[in-house]
Amino acid sequence: MRNFPYPDKELSREELTRDILYGKIPEDARAVISDRAWETGAAAAKDIFNEGGESKNIYDAARRGGLVLEKRSVDQIVGKVRYFSEYFPDEGKIVLYTVSIGRWAEKNGMPYDEAEEMILAHEYFHHLEFVKLGQTSRQYLVPTLKIGKWELIQSGIRALSEIGAHGFAGTYHEITRGEPPRNDTGSRLRNHAVNVAGLARLIRK
C-alpha cells in the first residue's frame, strides 16, 4: 500500500501554528479544535462518497455540486508561495494549475492523476463550506477587539478551514483508493487558495 505526502490528522495540527491568530488560542484547545475541523472534513468526504451512486470519482462529485473545473498549464507562484489550485466562490469555479501540481507530484513520487485528484478534493471542500457546511474557520472564535471585559469583535481561525480540507481530501483519497496520507515532514501541500476577493463580494451581497 502506498502512502502519499498529504498531512494526516495529527500533522494537520501544524496548520494552526501558521495562523495569524494562533497566539490567541489557549494551548489546551489547539489539538481539540484542529481535530474537530479534520473530522468535519472527513465526515463530509464520507457523505459525498455515499451520495455518488455508481460514480465515486471526485471530478464527478465536483460537477454534481455545480462547479466548473478549469485547468491552466502554469506554475502559479505568488510571492514565495506556489499555488496548486484556486476556488472562486463567486463564479462557482475551481482552477487547477497543472504545472504546479506536476511539480508537487514529481517531488513526492506521485502519479500526476492522483495528485490532481487530491488537490481538487481539497478545493471542493472549500466549496462545500460555502454552499452547505458553513465555514469551518468559524468553529472556534477568538476575540480580536476588547475594551475592558467586553469582547467587541471575534474572528474565526482560517487555518481550521485548511485542516478541514486536508481531512476531506485525505479521507476521500483513502476510501476511493485505499491509500491513506503519509505522516511525513517532506514536501507537503500548503495551499490557502480561496479567492478572498470573490468571497468578500459574496459576503457583502
Side-chain angles (χ1 to χ4, degrees), residues 89-90 130 194-205:
D90 53 344
F130 183 73
V194 175
N195 185 272
V196 176
L199 184 61
R201 284 194 293 272
L202 288 173
I203 291 172
R204 287 196 298 266
K205 288 182 178 179

Side-chain angles (χ1 to χ4, degrees), residues 170-185:
T171 301
Y172 205 92
H173 186 273
E174 184 171 2
I175 61 181
T176 54
R177 291 184 176 266
E179 297 164 345
R182 182 173 72 223
N183 190 358
D184 182 64
T185 57

Side-chain angles (χ1 to χ4, degrees), residues 12 15 21 26 32 50 53 61 64 66-67 76 79 81 103-104 111 116 119-120 128 140 144 155 157 162 169 201:
S12 287
E15 287 284 357
L21 297 176
V32 174
N50 291 332
R64 283 195 303 272
L67 280 166
Q76 183 74 353
V81 179
R103 292 193 174 190
W104 182 62
E116 187 179 274
I119 299 296
L120 175 57
L128 289 175
Y140 188 85
T144 53
S155 297
I157 307 297
E162 293 303 307
R201 284 194 293 272

Side-chain angles (χ1 to χ4, degrees), residues 83-144:
Y83 288 88
F84 305 99
S85 56
E86 195 166 6
Y87 168 50
F88 293 84
D90 53 344
E91 300 177 43
K93 180 171 71 175
I94 288 176
V95 175
L96 300 169
Y97 300 115
T98 59
V99 177
S100 295
I101 296 171
R103 292 193 174 190
W104 182 62
E106 181 180 5
K107 186 167 185 178
N108 289 286
M110 300 173 66
Y112 176 86
D113 63 328
E114 295 185 42
E116 187 179 274
E117 285 179 12
M118 293 192 76
I119 299 296
L120 175 57
H122 182 101
E123 293 304 333
Y124 183 43
F125 177 76
H126 291 316
H127 176 67
L128 289 175
E129 285 184 288
F130 183 73
V131 301
K132 183 178 181 180
L133 300 174
Q135 296 300 303
T136 313
S137 61
R138 304 289 296 176
Q139 287 183 348
Y140 188 85
L141 302 176
V142 297
T144 53

Side-chain angles (χ1 to χ4, degrees), residues 14 16 19 26 31 55 65 67 75 80 89 95 102 115 121 142 163 171 175 198:
E14 291 185 10
L16 283 181
D19 195 284
S55 175
L67 280 166
D75 189 11
K80 296 182 179 180
V95 175
V142 297
I163 294 169
T171 301
I175 61 181

